[in-house]
Amino acid sequence: MTDVLLQVEGLRKRFGGVAATDNLTLDVRAGEVHALIGPNGAGKTTFITQLMGELTPDAGSVRFAGQPLEGLDTAARVRLGIARTFQITQTLDEETAQANVALTIQAHQGHSFRFWKNAATDPSLNEPARRLLADAGLAARRNVQVRDMSHGEHKQLELAMALASEPRLLLLDEPMAGLGVSESRQMIDALKTLKGRIAILLVEHDMDAVFALADRISVLVYGKVIATGTAQEIQADPQVRAAYLGEGDA
Amino acid sequence: MADIQNTVHKVAPAKPKNVRSHLLIAQLIVLLAVLPYLANLFGQPALVSLATRIIILAIAAASLNLIMGYAGLASFGHAAWYGLGGYVVGILYRHSVTGDPLFGLPIGSDQMLITVPAAILIAGLFAAIFGSLSLRTSGVQFIMITLAFAQMIFFFFVALKAYGGDDGLIIRRRNALPGLDTRDAMVWYWICLGVAILWYALLSRIVASRFGRILVGVRQSERRMAAMGVRTYPYKLVAFVIAGMGGGLAGALMANHMRFVSPDMLHWTQSGEFMFMVILGGAGTLLGPAFGAAVLIGLETVLAAWTEHWQVILGPILVLAILFTRGGLSGLVRLVRGGRDD
Ligand SMILES: Nc1ncnc2c1ncn2[C@@H]1O[C@H](COP(=O)(O)OP(=O)(O)OP(=O)(O)O)[C@@H](O)[C@H]1O
Ligand SMILES: [Mg+2]
């Protein structure tokens, strides 16, 4: 048994009549890729939003590396070592790819009450930013303004930014969505290189990616985890087949 | 001739961007430094005073630009800091003349080296208090709350009969500066120009620094900043205070320039004018607010000399200017020079 890095117990969140998160219990072990799958509207993004502290759950607890996260804001959680990517990408669109990554590194290096030195020419920011962009396959695109980049490049950039804060846990909200076949392959390869080093909660509809990457899979339906297990266990689970895999595009 | 222009045009963009903008700034400084001589040469000595006014307003506009243009926080209360700075100079001058104590202390000064830093500090202090409250809001709410705070200060000074109330305070003599005759229009112009250059140089460092990068990030996506692990509030507050101090500095200079302060300096239309200068010149660009101030005050002066209904004409001109010069006048300058800033 490996250590549990993220422990979620009995999480609940209602939006009016909708139970977006319904007594959700799940854990992510250090170094594992734990895929979270489920139909549209199952509550996957809402779950990540609560893990990041952007939304406050109605009930339940989240512990990260043994520490309760209750009351911590997003920035504090990021500093503890949690990073995310967004289903709808959130980047600084007027900046270059490199500036986006460099700013994330800057944030990771400590406070930014530094008023004098030019940040755009700071090698302690630019060199690691270049390395991360090269790893993400964006070496040639680093000086392009983000708003001029393709959808797939935005996804790659978000991954590079998430890694720039050297997280222990990555929350990826549909990193393959909208990617072409070769872009998906690249993304899967990039994530494979992280396997074992960084724990990943992978929200994804692309089942090829899920089967290629996941150590364990949890299935979320109407805010509830109806099954957790290895790929084989999940594929064999009658409840899952009925609720999700059977009727869907798996 | 056309050939020559073409080559010049082709060569210019090949130069690195910072070399070109440094050249532009050097040219501008030289031009501004000799402007009083040119004004006298062309028999327009009144231009010196007008240029001084523009330079002072450009300091205030550049300060607003730090929060509005760079951090995307549209403060509609910038006149508060400008007016406060002015009143600090006015009140200190009054006490230096009467010798009356202020808050029981023998305070009072007509020395620029005391009054101007005092104005900057007082404006910064109030900006810290008001900023810490108003920055808890955002969007339209932020605009309204900054306006409300500025209105509070406006009505406070209207009601403050001890310092002239509605009528304001007259400053009989411009503050003194050791070794310089501040009463000489040209010397006074150069003093203000020097202060403005220093302030712009300081702001140019700030916006390029790590701190400045955070502000620009705040404008583009607060959500992304949080995901980077940045709590943005302290940065916004510090930027707000720096902007307030710049406003106070400008107000202190303007009080000296006009030798008069009144609640007019605190009026919401003054806040609106600062916003106009920023937008007109190009929000989030270093020199934009200076261009904005020059064009706005220039137009006002020309139109006011021509007709008493000048505001009716100025309004549409401003709207058109903003609609048709994307990124304000600095956008236009960039276009004409054939380069791209970003
Ligand atoms: N801020 C909100 N206010 C009200 N309802 C919300 C809000 N956010 C999400 N919901 C609802 O909660 C449910 C879960 O939404 P969520 O976006 O988490 O689903 P998802 O699993 O990420 O779906 P998808 O696969 O389409 O991304 C949906 O019914 C959605 O309409
Ligand atoms: Mg989602």
Side-chain angles (χ1 to χ4, degrees), chain A residues 112-174:
Chain A
S112 295
F113 287 107
R114 302 193 198 166
F115 300 89
W116 198 247
K117 237 179 84 185
N118 189 319
T121 57
D122 186 340
S124 81
L125 302 175
N126 289 338
E127 275 162 22
R130 258 174 229 156
R131 230 175 297 127
L132 282 160
L133 285 168
D135 291 347
L138 291 172
R141 302 283 285 164
R142 65 185 159 86
N143 290 324
V144 176
Q145 234 179 80
V146 172
R147 70 151 75 92
D148 296 331
M149 294 173 91
S150 71
H151 171 77
E153 288 170 337
H154 284 162
K155 293 275 182 188
Q156 291 170 315
L157 174 61
E158 281 222 334
L159 180 63
M161 291 170 80
L163 293 174
S165 62
E166 301 186 307
R168 282 194 283 167
L169 173 65
L170 259 182
L171 312 175
L172 304 178
D173 199 349
E174 305 200 15

Side-chain angles (χ1 to χ4, degrees), chain A:
Chain A
M1 265 307 282
T2 21
D3 309 335
V4 169
L5 185 63
L6 181 79
Q7 176 74 58
V8 181
E9 266 170 68
L11 208 67
R12 289 178 193 274
K13 183 77 195 176
R14 293 191 76 85
F15 293 115
V18 182
T21 310
D22 190 3
N23 198 17
L24 193 162
T25 296
L26 174 152
D27 63 70
V28 180
R29 297 169 189 156
E32 87 168 328
V33 176
H34 191 148
L36 183 64
I37 62 173
N40 291 115
K44 306 178 294 292
T45 298
T46 306
F47 177 51
I48 290 185
T49 312
Q50 290 170 84
L51 292 180
M52 290 309 294
E54 283 187 315
L55 256 184
T56 313
D58 298 334
S61 72
V62 181
R63 297 172 83 84
F64 178 69
Q67 181 185 346
L69 295 185
E70 205 184 330
L72 296 184
D73 65 10
T74 307
R77 292 173 195 224
V78 173
R79 284 182 217 168
L80 282 179
I82 309 176
R84 76 174 292 183
T85 64
F86 293 86
Q87 184 172 358
I88 299 162
T89 53
Q90 298 281 333
T91 45
L92 307 181
D93 293 348
E94 298 164 38
E95 312 296 322
T96 62
Q98 178 166 317
N100 270 269
V101 181
L103 189 55
T104 317
I105 293 164
Q106 174 186 324
H108 185 57
Q109 284 181 359
H111 73 78
S112 295
F113 287 107
R114 302 193 198 166
F115 300 89
W116 198 247
K117 237 179 84 185
N118 189 319
T121 57
D122 186 340
S124 81
L125 302 175
N126 289 338
E127 275 162 22
R130 258 174 229 156
R131 230 175 297 127
L132 282 160
L133 285 168
D135 291 347
L138 291 172
R141 302 283 285 164
R142 65 185 159 86
N143 290 324
V144 176
Q145 234 179 80
V146 172
R147 70 151 75 92
D148 296 331
M149 294 173 91
S150 71
H151 171 77
E153 288 170 337
H154 284 162
K155 293 275 182 188
Q156 291 170 315
L157 174 61
E158 281 222 334
L159 180 63
M161 291 170 80
L163 293 174
S165 62
E166 301 186 307
R168 282 194 283 167
L169 173 65
L170 259 182
L171 312 175
L172 304 178
D173 199 349
E174 305 200 15
M176 321 285 164
L179 296 192
V181 179
S182 74
E183 285 176 324
S184 283
R185 276 243 60 87
Q186 265 184 31
M187 183 61 80
I188 292 172
D189 290 341
L191 295 179
K192 270 186 180 156
T193 66
L194 305 175
K195 260 194 92 153
R197 287 191 289 136
I198 301 173
I200 297 176
L201 181 73
L202 174 67
V203 168
E204 189 48 64
H205 285 294
D206 178 343
M207 293 312 290
D208 291 337
V210 169
F211 291 136
L213 289 164
D215 299 302
R216 287 193 299 161
I217 300 171
S218 286
V219 182
L220 194 70
V221 179
Y222 294 121
K224 267 190 182 50
V225 174
I226 60 165
T228 297
T230 62
Q232 287 87 344
E233 287 164 356
I234 291 299
Q235 279 171 302
D237 190 300
Q239 240 190 312
V240 173
R241 299 191 75 88
Y244 183 57
L245 292 175
E247 59 173 49
D249 46 0

